[in-house]
Amino acid sequence: MPPDPTPAPTPAPGAPRVRERGDACPGALRLHSADDGHLARLRLPAGLLTSRQVEVLADAAEALGDGRISVTSRGNAELRGLAGGCGAELAALLAEAGLLPSPTHERVRNIVASPASGLDGLGAADVQLWARELDERLCAAPWAAALSGRFLFVLDDGRGDVTGLGGDVTLVAADPGTALLHLGGRTVRVAAADAPRAALAAARAFLTAARGAGTGAWRVRELPEGSGVDVRAALTTAGIAAEPVREAVRKPVEEAAVRKPVEEAAVREDIRKPVQEAVRESAPPHGAPPAPGPLGPAAFHVLAPLGRLTAAQLRALLPADEVRLTPWRGAVVVGAGPDRAPALDAAGLITRPGSPWAGVSACTGRPGCAKSLADVRADAVPGRPGLPVHYSGCERRCGHPHGDWVDVLAVPGGGYLVDGAPVPRTDLAPAVTTARTAPRTAPRTTR
């Protein structure tokens, strides 16, 4: 996301972050000023676009912007190079296409869902249906407009492909009839039919906790210690039955240990293993994103080169029953079989997992961003497939992937750091290839 105009000071270790102003995250109606013009970020719950909406976005990019559409790490769409006075025209185009169902809530419709859900026979439930219901309920709740434009709902169908995206509220389909709701290290089990309502109730509980903390928190992880979100109370108020997963597993183990007349050390050992198993069971599953290529008999997954589509490439996704932009900066084309591969490949899209450009992304860089030290998109190089790699023009590392990834950071003087090691610009290709495929002693997930 674009940076805050006046970032809050970094808190001292252990001190809570205090935000003294509202969230300035851009939207479709609140444009962000950049060196290459204005930027509009359009929230697309579950990345969903109809064929008509694909055409409208492509037309808007050509008529009002720089002719490209950036796909974000949340499966949203960004238009760049917009003129300062085009806001009303853009809003009218988007509204007519059904892309602005609620002007008051357009920035809080941050919903990521497993993009292949319901298409390839995997997963415990079709969470795309959850996403649509959650979006409708979110837009219909006046209080939800107070959520930050960065608050994120993640809906995973059980395969674990999106659970690692840092959701504030994460729903995971456990089986066709139940779902696990994760928030702030706590997990409860709810009926699948109640999952969207439960996610919304959890978000409301976060707002209550944030107001009580008085620190202006935008995300659950920003709440100060001791300001827990009372999810169970919120679900009870909403009339949703919920079972606390960790407590339900741990309590019988602890009671059994108290009754068992054995030595203290043996009691500790007796307790330790069941409790650890309970914690593992309640943690969200983690799986890999789908590779580029066919998804079942009638869907195709493509990646956008460096996370950006030209208007022509966006149109090349059609015909389609629907298009789902993904948090891996690509798109799932629903209704496209394997026979579409040659046409998609000819359009310049990444259609094979063995492509050297698969998993390569970059921030805007120069000349679009004044803070960037390099034209990282021009400097980006492919490499043997492996870990995701992200090129950043400055230490903010805008748009970097979640999980483990190769960090390529521009530094003053024209060089780069590749996972912290200095590399001349001319030697990027071998350094990146080595970093993407080298064994790791520990994941590098925090920069």
Side-chain angles (χ1 to χ4, degrees):
M1 293 187 178
D4 303 336
T6 53
T10 301
R17 172 179 289 228
V18 177
R19 296 192 181 274
E20 297 179 348
R21 58 173 184 79
D23 169 29
C25 201
L29 302 179
R30 178 193 288 179
L31 305 187
H32 171 77
S33 179
D35 270 23
D36 58 348
H38 285 73
L39 173 154
R41 180 175 297 136
L42 179 60
R43 270 67 173 188
L44 303 173
L48 180 63
L49 289 167
T50 65
S51 293
R52 166 66 179 149
Q53 290 167 343
V54 168
E55 293 280 9
V56 168
L57 270 186
D59 292 346
E62 288 179 329
L64 304 176
D66 63 4
R68 291 176 172 82
I69 299 91
S70 296
V71 184
T72 76
S73 59
R74 293 182 170 189
N76 291 320
E78 286 184 351
L79 300 176
R80 298 189 67 99
L82 300 168
C86 77
E89 183 178 358
L90 175 63
L93 285 172
L94 298 177
E96 188 276 332
L99 290 167
L100 281 178
S102 173
T104 56
H105 290 62
E106 60 99 4
R107 293 191 315 123
V108 304
R109 301 170 67 223
N110 293 302
I111 304 172
V112 172
S114 297
S117 194
L119 300 176
D120 58 1
L122 303 177
D126 186 351
V127 296
Q128 292 283 323
L129 302 178
W130 291 0
R132 296 171 199 188
E133 180 182 344
L134 175 57
D135 183 41
E136 291 175 359
R137 291 182 177 278
L138 187 69
C139 291
W143 59 264
L147 290 169
S148 159
R150 307 175 190 226
F151 192 90
L152 177 62
F153 297 92
V154 168
L155 315 182
D156 191 287
D157 67 2
R159 71 184 74 203
D161 59 337
V162 294
T163 54
L165 298 182
D168 294 283
V169 176
T170 298
L171 280 175
V172 180
D175 54 58
T178 64
L180 298 178
L181 188 153
H182 303 269
L183 185 150
R186 297 176 181 271
T187 304
V188 297
R189 187 186 303 272
V190 299
D194 292 331
R197 285 201 305 134
L200 192 62
R204 189 166 196 173
F206 159 75
L207 284 180
T208 299
R211 283 192 295 268
T215 57
W218 296 342
R219 309 287 307 274
V220 170
R221 64 173 177 261
E222 294 178 359
L223 289 171
E225 189 174 351
S227 300
V229 181
D230 195 344
V231 177
R232 292 178 64 187
L235 295 177
T236 298
T237 300
I240 299 171
E243 173 191 359
V245 173
R246 288 189 179 183
E247 289 80 359
V249 176
R250 182 183 293 118
K251 186 176 179 182
V253 174
E254 292 172 341
E255 290 177 348
V258 171
R259 292 194 303 266
K260 197 171 184 178
V262 294
E263 295 179 358
E264 183 178 353
V267 173
R268 286 199 301 269
E269 185 61 28
D270 189 61
I271 295 174
R272 186 179 299 118
K273 184 177 179 181
V275 171
Q276 288 174 339
E277 289 175 352
V279 172
R280 283 199 298 271
E281 288 173 2
S282 65
H286 286 280
L295 288 176
F300 205 99
H301 179 212
V302 300
L303 298 176
L306 294 178
R308 190 174 292 188
L309 297 166
T310 65
Q313 286 173 327
L314 186 61
R315 293 192 184 99
L317 303 179
L318 301 178
D321 295 339
E322 65 185 35
V323 170
R324 302 174 184 178
L325 299 187
T326 76
W328 310 291
R329 293 181 168 85
V332 171
V333 186
V334 181
D339 59 323
R340 285 280 297 277
L344 295 169
D345 193 59
L349 299 165
I350 299 168
T351 61
R352 295 168 286 106
S355 167
W357 286 103
V360 182
S361 60
C363 71
T364 297
R366 288 180 178 173
C369 177
K371 293 185 179 295
S372 181
L373 299 173
D375 184 349
V376 292
R377 303 185 75 83
D379 290 347
V381 294
R384 287 198 300 272
L387 284 175
V389 56
H390 186 72
Y391 291 79
S392 302
C394 75
E395 291 185 351
R396 294 175 302 154
R397 296 176 171 86
C398 293
H400 71 74
H402 291 269
D404 199 6
W405 50 282
V406 176
D407 180 36
V408 184
L409 175 66
V411 294
Y416 283 84
L417 297 178
V418 177
D419 280 337
V423 174
R425 178 176 173 272
T426 52
D427 293 342
L428 273 178
V432 168
T433 292
T434 298
R436 294 189 78 184
T437 57
R440 301 219 168 192
T441 57
R444 289 187 282 265
T445 59
T446 303
R447 312 291 181 195

